[in-house]
Amino acid sequence: DAGVTQSPTHLIKTRGQQVTLRCSPKSGHDTVSWYQQALGQGPQFIFQYYEEEERQRGNFPDRFSGHQFPNYSSELNVNALLLGDSALYLCASSIIRGQPRLNEQFFGPGTRLTVL
Amino acid sequence: KNQVEQSPQSLIILEGKNCTLQCNYTVSPFSNLRWYKQDTGRGPVSLTIMTFSENTKSNGRYTATLDADTKQSSLHITASQLSDSASYICVVTYASGGSYIPTFGRGTSLIVHP
C-alpha cells in the first residue's frame, strides 16, 4: 500500500496563473480532504470530498475548487494565484463509513507551491 | 470561535531529556483530540487520539493527557531521541451538521540536540 500520494512535489507559478494539484488516497479510503499549510503555521482546512461532491468547506475563496473522481482520487484547483497562496498543500484521506467520529486522516507528503 | 492554541511555539532540549507540550482549545462540540508529528517537508502522522471519556493515552515514549473540563491537553515525550525533532500538532475535531471538522493548532517545533 503506497499510502496517500500527491503530485507534483514542488511547483512554481506566477501571479494570476492557475494550478492543479493531484491526490490519490490510501487504498480503501473514500474521502479526501485538502489543507493549506503556510510556513510556520498549522494546516488550514480547505474542503472535503466524498462521493464526488464537496461536503464541507473551510474559509477559502471560490478561487479554490476541487474535484473527486470515481476512483476516489482528487484534484485541487486554484485560479488567479496570489503571492499569499504560496504554501504546502496537504491531502488527507479517510473512510467516512464506520466510525466517522474517530475518523483518522492519513496525510500525503504535500505539494510545495511557490507563487512568484 | 473554534481555536486550538499550542505552547511553547518552539522548544530545544538535549537528547535523553523529557519534555511536555501543551494544547488549549475552545472547540465545541468536542469530538476527539489528536496529536500529530510532522517531520519537515512531510505530511503529519497521527500519534494518539483521545475521546471525551479518555484522559490519558500512550504510544511508546509519547503520552497524551486530556482534561475535557478545562479543555487542555498535553503531550509528554520521554527519553527524547534525535528523531523526535519535528513539529507536533494538536488537532481537535468538532461535530458539525453530521460531519466532523478538524481544527489544527500551529504546532510546537521541537529540536533535540545530541
Side-chain angles (χ1 to χ4, degrees), chain A residues 35 37 40-45 48 56 88 90 100-105 107-109, chain B residues 31-32 34 36 38 41-44 46 49 51 89 96 99-102 104-106:
Chain A
Y35 295 86
Q37 186 176 23
Q41 305 291 318
Q44 298 292 315
F45 175 70
Q48 181 183 79
Q56 292 286 338
L88 179 69
L90 293 166
R101 186 167 173 268
L102 301 179
N103 202 6
E104 178 175 2
Q105 294 188 325
F107 285 84
Chain B
S31 175
N32 63 69
R34 289 186 186 274
Y36 282 87
Q38 184 175 23
R42 308 289 293 274
S46 179
I49 178 174
T51 58
I89 304 174
S96 174
S99 297
Y100 295 89
I101 309 299
F104 287 71
R106 291 186 175 185

